[in-house]
Amino acid sequence: LAKTTQPISMDSYEGQEVNITCSHNNIATNDYITWYQQFPSQGPRFIIQGYKTKVTNEVASLFIPADRKSSTLSLPRVSLSDTAVYYCLVGITGGGNKLTFGTGTQLKVEL
Amino acid sequence: EAGVAQSPRYKIIEKRQSVAFWCNPISGHATLYWYQQILGQGPKLLIQFQNNGVVDDSQLPKDRFSAERLKGVDSTLKIQPAKLEDSAVYLCASSLGGPHTDTQYFGPGTRLTVL
């Protein structure tokens, strides 16, 4: 099963913009790309979802290139409370269309 | 709106014992998922139900894991017998409609420790 890969960790300071990329070469044609945030001892929480181009909501933006083989989550002005693990979720082809979480990115925000 | 409920929150058992987890999805959600999340890794889909039926159980170790969704609402996941490598957090999620387009809402998870 092809992996959906992300950087292991990122460090930032409060007020900065953070961009986290997910690589998903074998994304299924009809699948959306969804990003989740997870705090310790909690289940993942929905951040944003998109199919192509750019999507923006009140907390983040999602950039998806035309080939859809990657996606970038953008957090505009991070705060300490954004320290968490961030996952992308896509459907991956090959042996069926399997929902696959990315490897996860630990974001640490400091003052 | 009430979220996804799971119980128990924590469970400690010895290897070769049996264990069961319960999940109550958000009311009206047709699709229910069970994930296994090993420490430091992303969640791995074990099984996915649409109403009463199984949509995908290709990654469920069927020799020891089983799951059912009663009347298209609550679900239970069972492990029998447990192995050391089953130590993980078991997450339940639900979505209103199709799994590849609809947002999944997750419960808090059950942390299983197998000694």
Side-chain angles (χ1 to χ4, degrees):
Chain A
L1 190 64
K3 269 196 168 183
T4 302
T5 56
Q6 302 176 228
I8 293 173
S9 64
M10 298 183 72
D11 293 332
S12 184
Y13 293 97
E14 275 203 319
Q16 289 191 329
E17 178 184 76
V18 171
N19 296 308
I20 305 173
T21 297
C22 178
S23 173
H24 31 77
N25 290 327
N26 296 337
I27 185 171
T29 302
N30 296 326
D31 263 50
Y32 279 66
I33 299 159
T34 312
W35 282 80
Y36 290 86
Q37 176 192 55
Q38 188 175 30
F39 296 110
S41 301
Q42 294 185 22
R45 185 175 72 172
F46 172 84
I47 301 173
I48 196 167
Q49 183 184 67
Y51 183 78
K52 61 181 179 180
T53 64
K54 177 184 174 182
V55 179
T56 297
N57 63 21
E58 62 276 9
V59 298
S61 294
L62 178 59
F63 299 92
I64 304 169
D67 65 6
R68 300 192 346 113
K69 292 184 183 298
S70 67
S71 58
T72 300
L73 172 71
S74 180
L75 304 172
R77 287 173 300 279
V78 296
S79 63
L80 293 175
S81 61
D82 293 318
T83 294
V85 180
Y86 292 81
Y87 292 101
C88 60
L89 172 65
V90 298
I92 298 296
T93 59
N97 184 355
K98 301 190 188 303
L99 286 172
T100 303
F101 271 89
T103 49
T105 300
Q106 171 68 63
L107 172 64
K108 182 179 179 183
V109 181
E110 299 175 290
L111 286 173
Chain B
E1 174 181 84
V4 176
Q6 290 188 248
S7 67
R9 289 296 313 276
Y10 304 92
K11 190 73 177 180
I12 300 174
I13 61 172
E14 295 190 348
K15 60 183 179 184
R16 291 188 288 273
Q17 285 189 322
S18 304
V19 65
F21 312 126
W22 173 81
C23 173
N24 180 235
I26 293 173
S27 177
H29 279 197
T31 308
L32 184 146
Y33 318 74
W34 283 102
Y35 290 88
Q36 179 193 58
Q37 186 172 26
I38 293 171
L39 186 65
Q41 298 181 19
K44 182 180 86 171
L45 181 67
L46 293 177
I47 189 166
Q48 174 186 312
F49 294 93
Q50 185 114 11
N51 297 311
N52 286 349
V54 175
V55 174
D56 181 2
D57 63 356
S58 58
Q59 299 188 97
L60 186 74
K62 298 181 186 62
D63 57 333
R64 297 184 301 106
F65 286 64
S66 64
E68 61 179 2
R69 189 176 185 195
L70 305 172
K71 299 179 183 179
V73 182
D74 292 6
S75 178
T76 56
L77 176 69
K78 297 179 182 177
I79 308 175
Q80 181 180 13
K83 293 185 175 181
L84 296 177
E85 59 260 37
D86 297 333
S87 292
V89 174
Y90 291 85
L91 294 163
C92 179
S94 69
S95 66
L96 188 61
H100 297 278
T101 55
D102 273 19
T103 301
Q104 295 183 37
Y105 296 86
F106 285 80
T110 296
R111 181 177 297 278
L112 173 67
T113 302
V114 182
L115 302 174

